[in-house]
Amino acid sequence: MGPASLQEESMSKSKEEEMESYRYLLQAGSLLENTLQQVTVPMSIKEAGGYIEKQVAYLSGGRGEDSSVIITLPECSAFRDIPEEALAQVFTYLTLIPRTRQPGVKFIIILDRRLDTWASIKTALARIAASFPGNLHLVLVLRPTSFFHRTVTDIGFRFGQEDFMLKMPVVMLSSVTDLLKYIDENQLTSEFGGTLDYCHSDWILLRTAIESFAVTVKDMAHMLQAFGTELAETELPGEGGTLERLLESHNDKYRKLKEAIRSLSREGQHLLSSLETTRGDSDDSQWDVKLDWETVHRLLNQLRDMESAFDGFFDKHHLKLHQYLQLLTYEKSFQEMESCLERLASQEGELSTHVDTLAQAEQALKRLDTLESFAQEVTSRAQMVILHGHQLSAGHHYATALIMQRCNELRHHCDTVGTALATKRCRLLQTHRLLLSLDRAQTWCDDGAYMLANQLVEKFQSKEGAQAALKAIESFLEGAPSLVTSGAGVLALEYEAVITPQLQVKMDKTFEKHAAVQQMIRNRQASLRKLADKHVRPVQLVAPRAENPPRSKSPIFSPKHADGLKFTFDLPLPGKRMSRKGPNLRTIEVIHDYRESRSCVTYGVEGEDSPDVLKRHVMRELIETERIYVEELLSVLLGYKAQMDNPLLSGLLPPALRSKRGVLFGNVSEIYNFHSRVFLQDLEGCLETPEGVGICFLAKKENFQMYECYCQNKPRSDALWRQFSDCAFFQECQKKLGHKLGLDSYLLKPVQRLTKYQLLLKELLKYSTDGEASSELQGALTAMLDLLKSVNDSMHQIAITGYEGDICELGRMLMQGSFSVWISHKRGPTRMKELARFKPMQRHLFLYETVLLFCKRREEHGDACDKTPSYGFKHCIKMTAVGITENVKGDARKFEIWYSGREEVYVVQAPSVEVKTSWLSELRRILTNQQRLLRDEAHQNGQLVERMQLSPPPCDSKQQRASVSSEDTESGRSSPDGQRRSPKRQLNRRSWPGAHHSVSVSEGLEETSGIRDHHSDAQLVNL
């Protein structure tokens, strides 16, 4: 099944689940609509025209016999003025309230006309008969209390009783006491002598709130259904940005609807509370309040059900959109990785494994190393994409099948490329071994030939000499390469996969040469054995005539030896001209000098203490300790840092430590990634070639700067560890890891590792003999020592306090150290006591390319283990206006730093002469660079100054001195610079800003003739 069909199938399944939730939402909305129709009055109190608020008639909540609902018409002088339509609406609204909940309920009307007339009663009864819409069970009329109106009412009712009784049952009551015969006391309000509590204004407020709540619930149901329909009909865009905006819009609307539902729920709960307070504890009275409570409670439950259905539908829809966005992002990552892998496969296909020479094989292996490095990077990224796919799959993504197919495709691509590269590496390594073996065999043959050529003839004349020669030959044969001893057939079987026609020709030539050398060795051995078995008369050595001097064709002999013996033999040697004796033979004529003995070429078997063996031992130690270091860093990351997110251990982790993992661990993750993914693999590639280690360190020199950040954070990390070292979280993690040492010991590993590198590099350098490799190792050692110094300097720099500017803008720190400092001024208002004049100040100096900082060391307050030094900033001088005097009388450790033409002189005493020498060297370098820059500027701008046609200023009678001077320890005077600057040079210097400022500070050195006592004429001040 293809990706497109898989995606369509997954999408259709997700759509079905979403539509099922949508149908459930519609069903919940329909149920809410039905509930609203069942429990709410289809007419609002406002439609009664305000007559209910005027209390024309009201529902007190009382009931008569057969649970008939009582409607009371109190005394109202304006009853006859109420329009028929308005009265009908009042009766309709009042009867709808109980009829909605109890269809078929009966009604009793209490008509209070105690202060009215028969005419009013007659009119009211007629209007009630015409307008009352409900099942009227009984009309109880309280007749007028006055004698006249009562008599008129009795007469009128007696004659018109039949008309009223035909329409509705009417009972005339003389008093409230008669009313109690028909209705219980607890069902009547206080105006009729009852105990039923009723407040018309409260009833109006309650009915208005219930109706408003019902209308709001209905509107909310419509809004939820409308939004659900909008979500269900949303088309999925094909662009990630559009989809993100759509998700944000839906979330916005969802949050607003949820807030409205919560507000409505609070309103309903408040309404329920009010109804419960009004209802009280009685079960027989106030039936209408109980029904209202049930209505509101039912509506709230229906609203919750619809909210739950809407939440379920929105969650599914939102999950579908979110997963679709994840799928789009994953597809984009997959396409990018597939393109990278295809490009990698193309480059792999272009790499040829057919090489004919050792140099070609090494070049191909270098190209393969580069390609494998790129492949490793691409594969790592592909693994991240695959891991992302597995995470999506584990999260029950609807397109799991498609995602897993993509993961399998990427994994297949990676495996294919990795297998192809591994196969090519195997072929190239095998070819390289074959070519190297052939080259060694060729070298061995040449060495054998030269060994035979250099054996001294005069030693053969004795038995001991012949035996020694035989022994030398046997020793040489023992060191024969395995390639030539195994034979051509075995070699062909071993390297069958890589042998090309060109390599086969080379192999044939090698074995032919080996056979020739072997034959020569056998001939020599036969001759020597004969000499060893019998006594041979010594050969008479006769000096040849001068006019026919012997020729020396052997490359290891000099033609200056005019006397000697010679013998010749035929031998195929490389680099010689072809002899006339045959196409494949060359004649070597060897001269043996009997005056000066020549030592033969020796072959030393590599012993246990050879530099190469020791170098490999150091290399193995470097790699093994690097592996252990990487494993220890990984244990810290997995066993401590990752466990801070473990919910099972969250109770053991102090809350204050939860947000400070960056302080505790620093950039350990960055260090681990560099060593595990890059540096360890580079070192492992140098196992057989230790001379390449220097290149590894130099190539990754910039990466080691991350240790500077780690070391700068280490004091904060240590302080945090001391604060929380006893917490149960660290003890539990240490127990799980099985570590004998605590976390602080493992956090010290990066610092220890940094110092270990320079020790191992020194060992490698000690056993290295190759000049180029030694130079690279020396460079690597220098780089690591510089890094240690830089780390140490940075630790001091971050402790500087009180410097107003940004100290990072000063650039890289060159040197730092503690000194004793005296400071003097030629002129100044400050006068100090004689006793304090020679007392030095302890200052810590920080040297940069542009400035020199003077600071005072202070100890921070705290416990002994928490004390850390800080450096309070005191003074700063610019290097562009500085001069130095290297030697000061009285102490070899002292030197001067003077400022602005010796206006300020700082006598600095170093801890040792070596420290003084290193500081002076760095200061000279800075000042020399400044003078060179000044000369370049003056040279470049000299013509411009000449065009300005300025006359040169008069020469100062004082000679100008160089910025660096050396004071004579005997006389105490500064030595002058041997040259005077020309007026033109002075003009150039004064014409440009900065030049005069930096050069003129050295003027007037001869004024220091009284420097024998620097402190006798100067004023000493504190920095």
Side-chain angles (χ1 to χ4, degrees), residues 310 379 434 656 715 797 827 844 866 972 991 1016:
F310 174 72
T379 304
L434 175 59
Q797 177 173 291
R827 296 175 298 274
H844 203 91
D866 293 336
S991 300
S1016 59

Side-chain angles (χ1 to χ4, degrees), residues 543-609:
R545 290 175 295 180
E547 62 268 19
N548 188 19
R551 295 175 300 158
S552 176
K553 295 185 180 180
S554 175
I556 59 175
F557 292 100
S558 173
K560 68 181 181 178
H561 301 98
D563 300 325
L565 297 176
K566 66 178 180 179
F567 66 91
T568 62
F569 59 93
D570 295 328
L571 172 68
L573 289 175
K576 302 295 180 181
R577 292 184 177 180
M578 298 296 292
S579 172
R580 296 179 182 179
K581 295 182 179 181
N584 296 324
L585 296 178
R586 298 169 176 83
T587 300
I588 292 185
E589 185 176 356
V590 182
I591 305 298
H592 288 273
D593 186 9
Y594 67 95
R595 298 175 183 172
E596 184 178 353
S597 176
R598 289 276 181 180
S599 61
C600 64
V601 179
T602 60
Y603 178 84
V605 181
E606 185 175 272
E608 290 296 328
D609 297 331

Side-chain angles (χ1 to χ4, degrees), residues 643-683:
Q643 294 303 315
M644 287 186 171
D645 297 324
N646 188 349
L648 300 178
L649 299 179
S650 59
L652 304 178
L653 186 66
L657 187 61
R658 196 179 305 275
S659 60
K660 295 184 179 180
R661 70 179 69 186
V663 177
L664 181 61
F665 295 98
N667 59 336
V668 170
S669 300
E670 183 184 5
I671 294 174
Y672 168 74
N673 290 333
F674 165 65
H675 284 273
S676 62
R677 299 178 182 177
V678 180
F679 196 61
L680 176 57
Q681 299 174 12
D682 291 350
L683 292 180

Side-chain angles (χ1 to χ4, degrees), residues 33-44:
E33 289 283 349
N34 293 336
T35 302
L36 285 169
Q37 292 178 3
Q38 293 173 8
V39 301
T40 57
V41 179
M43 178 180 177
S44 68

Side-chain angles (χ1 to χ4, degrees), residues 163 343 346 410 597 611 613 662 870:
D163 295 335
R343 187 164 62 252
S346 174
L410 284 180
S597 176
V613 172
S870 66

